[in-house]
Amino acid sequence: MTALDGTSAAGRILRPWLDPALPVADRVDALLAEMTLEEKIGQLGSQWPGNTMRADQDAEPDENAAGSANVAPMQDVFAASARVSFEETIRHGLGHLTRVFGSAPVTVAEGTAEVVRLQSEVVKHSRLGIPALVHEECLTGFTTYGATVYPAAIAWGATFDPDLVERMAAAIGRDMRAVGVHQGLSPVLDVVRDYRWGRVEETMGEDPYLVSMLGAAYVRGLESAGIIATLKHFAGYSASRAARNHGPVPMGRRELMDMILPTFETAIVEGGARSVMNSYSDVDGVPAAADSWLLTDLLRDEWGFTGTVVSDYWSIPFLATAHQVAADVDEAGAQALAAGIDVELPDTLGFGQHLAERVRRGELPEFLVDRAARRLLTQKVELGLLDPDWTPERSVAGAGAVELDSPDNRALARELAERSIVLLDAGTALPLLGEGRPEPRRVAVVGPCADDPRTFMGCYAFPNHVLPRHPELGLGVDAPSLLDALRAELPDAELVHERGCDVRGDDRSGFAAALRAARESDVCVAVVGDLAGMFGLGTSGEGCDAEDLRLPGAQEDLLAELAATGTPVVVVVVSGRPYALGDVSGTAAALVQAFMPGEEGGAAVAGVLSGRVQPSGKLPVQIPRGPGGQPGTYLQPPLGADSHGISNLDPTPLFPFGHGASYTTFAIDSLRISDAEVPTDGEFTVSVRVRNTGGRAGEEVVQLFLHDVLAQVTRPVRQLTGFARVRLEPGASALATFTVPADRTAFTGRDLRRVVEPGDLEVFVGASASDLPCRGRVRLTGPLRHVGQGRRLVTHVDVEPLPGPSATQQGETDAGQS
């Protein structure tokens, strides 16, 4: 007799894949040998049972509703997946269960009960009893009802703080793992190339090194909790023509390799990511879902990635319906499998049982099925899903103790929010309290983002992603608006609120009341920006691309009329992308940028405005001067960064990459470079002194940039090579030392091979890409080196306090070091 756990009456394990004592590879080999072709194919698919995320397509959406009436574009594909029943899909087994917690508002108890029910069905219908992986979104926290809404990823970029991002990701991962989730669809490692793209809010900025360090930190945090991190979107999605969602990417291989791919490589090598999700876009005519160079030659053979590649939702059928490189969905599945996709999400269309027929007809090599199944089954074994004691009930055993919006989570969310707020210009009005200014007795708080906490949240935050279809449930979390937070922050002031206008639309009927409130106040806080949504139902988010970078709707006109009242106007921009503020900056009494700071964003912004919070955020993207296509990102070759008199268009931004002011002052000086000449396989150090020359404790982010003076291809005029967040008491100083491997200067040469080239490097250190008081040179000597796998990807940074009035004060560094 054999027990359900695969043991004989004598206790001997008869099914070796259930034996935890065996090596993982041996267990997977034994399981694959036992499986039929249909069962192996079953592991390559997924199901989204009970998906209710489609709304009435004929309904007219609320102008301010930020949720998704369409969960995804191209509803013909969506409808086709909805016609495939759960029972039919799991007949031969199942790879993934899609978003059990993230599709509708469910409590922890309801969600875990559904996980148990679905897993029980999967196991019961699987001859070999193989459970499914459960995956969820986690772009701003666990995307489920009542879970902490952390700042959006663009705000993580503004922190320049990998350690904090790692701690946040670990907290997200612990909550997900406790309720039976195995895989998180995050982080987004796309590098911003055009600010008009709707998904800028989901990125960590426009610099590959910043995104690499923060992305690897997020991966480490999520993976430390036992959650498989999924890197997306591989690759090129953020560089679509005209910033249009799903648009073609007119990018050459060299730009792809130097600007887009390093973030993914670093997250794999330094972070240990175990999954990658393909991009929807095509690059130079080849869709990522069918690109064997990208998904196999580069990812597997060159980088050594051993995890799974999962498809972005419906990207496999899109090969037929959108890209038109496959005759039908069946052929699309065969192309994707051959290219290197292992699991189809969120439902099974292209990876259905038709693949078995192709194998038997000799049209598809069976080793491709085995290859994909092996990768997924390896992860199931590693996660313990094939251990003898695994049961659906035990998989959610930790759910009883989980509190999805715990005080610890909220403290992390507050810390992230506070560190992400960027003081663009304190002007004449900030901080509102102290600094020798009289406290305001009456404050007008106006603008469409002043009293709506949804503006603090990204498009994948549950309150904006799902709850607009359930208005009776509110936000599901306690999220004070900025108006609420200012009432608590300024208890002695009278606050008067007027909306003025909506985020979108041209209705100016509220202008008069807003202007009256401003005229009758000592100061006006004008809160403008975005409301995230999906596919046109917001001003930021997936499918919410912008024609230009003017503030949406009538908001800029409202600001102009407020400035004309004569009352000092503090402008707070709450947005998912940078907007052009050239016309605003000249009349504003102060400027603050808040990149969707999450549920604790109200208190964080209010604290910065009052002066209670010392601002330390830095721009992960530039703030443009004008609303047109200028500027692009700061990573430009000479002809892209300076007009040289050949164009009437000035690409200079209003505020540069890395900029962020403070209520104290810092000095960066005493540059030292260890060596004048360094071999192309060596390293050099760059050190500077950082001093707090003001009257308050604060944090400065010291930034190291390099420029390759003469190269075989054009190179950026400067590129971030290292950074360190340094905390100092007034009068204190610290020494920041960057150790720069020559590998960090590598680029893709004319022959498309990555090289370290001998020659001169300009060295810049300062507080932003334009504020660079320390400048020097170093020369790389010796032969040109070709580098690839194993090259050093990280600039290590050490910060040590220097003797002085506050020598005992510890300098801190969150410098993107591994």
Side-chain angles (χ1 to χ4, degrees), residues 222-346:
L222 206 63
E223 292 277 357
S224 73
I227 295 292
I228 296 172
T230 308
L231 313 180
K232 58 188 192 181
H233 306 88
F234 193 62
Y237 188 19
S238 57
S240 58
R241 183 178 282 117
R244 186 176 181 274
N245 192 43
H246 289 214
V249 176
M251 177 181 286
R253 183 66 58 86
R254 185 178 296 106
E255 183 180 358
L256 184 74
M257 294 177 72
D258 284 349
M259 295 297 168
I260 302 298
L261 295 177
T263 61
F264 295 92
E265 182 180 9
T266 305
I268 292 167
V269 174
E270 300 291 333
R274 288 184 286 169
S275 188
V276 170
M277 175 180 279
N278 73 283
S279 164
Y280 284 122
S281 297
D282 70 80
V283 177
D284 197 22
V286 181
D291 189 348
S292 60
W293 170 81
L294 182 71
L295 301 180
T296 297
D297 298 350
L298 178 75
L299 179 64
R300 305 284 186 182
D301 299 342
E302 185 172 333
W303 293 355
F305 178 68
T306 59
T308 56
V309 176
V310 299
S311 78
D312 204 344
Y313 284 16
W314 299 294
S315 63
I316 291 178
F318 286 174
L319 292 174
T321 61
H323 294 292
Q324 298 180 16
V325 297
D328 52 31
V329 172
D330 290 1
E331 183 183 328
Q335 286 192 25
L337 185 66
I341 290 182
D342 303 311
V343 182
E344 181 178 15
L345 304 181

Side-chain angles (χ1 to χ4, degrees), residues 104-123:
V106 295
T107 65
V108 169
E110 291 167 339
T112 52
E114 184 67 355
V115 167
V116 170
R117 184 186 73 82
L118 294 170
Q119 288 282 38
S120 298
E121 287 294 309
V122 170
V123 171

Side-chain angles (χ1 to χ4, degrees), residues 625-689:
R625 190 176 301 275
Q630 300 293 323
T633 75
Y634 90 100
L635 289 167
Q636 298 291 333
L639 287 178
D642 188 342
S643 66
H644 285 280
I646 59 175
S647 173
N648 62 310
L649 297 178
D650 182 1
T652 307
L654 180 64
F655 295 102
F657 173 85
H659 170 77
S662 173
Y663 294 142
T664 190
T665 55
F666 296 94
I668 301 173
D669 54 27
S670 303
L671 172 73
R672 287 190 177 184
I673 301 174
S674 61
D675 301 277
E677 295 187 351
V678 178
T680 53
D681 61 352
E683 66 181 26
F684 60 95
T685 64
V686 178
S687 64
V688 293
R689 181 179 61 170

Side-chain angles (χ1 to χ4, degrees), residues 38-62:
E38 285 77 11
E39 287 170 338
K40 288 184 283 190
I41 291 170
Q43 291 299 308
L44 312 186
S46 61
Q47 238 309 341
W48 197 345
N51 175 24
T52 61
M53 294 192 71
R54 280 183 299 167
D56 182 356
Q57 301 302 300
D58 298 324
E60 195 65 32
D62 176 1

Side-chain angles (χ1 to χ4, degrees), residues 1-16:
M1 175 179 292
T2 302
L4 292 177
D5 65 0
T7 60
S8 68
R12 182 169 59 89
I13 294 182
L14 301 178
R15 296 178 171 181

Side-chain angles (χ1 to χ4, degrees), residues 722-740:
F723 58 92
R725 179 178 271 270
V726 183
R727 177 173 176 79
L728 294 170
E729 293 294 322
S733 60
L735 184 71
T737 302
F738 300 84
T739 300
V740 185

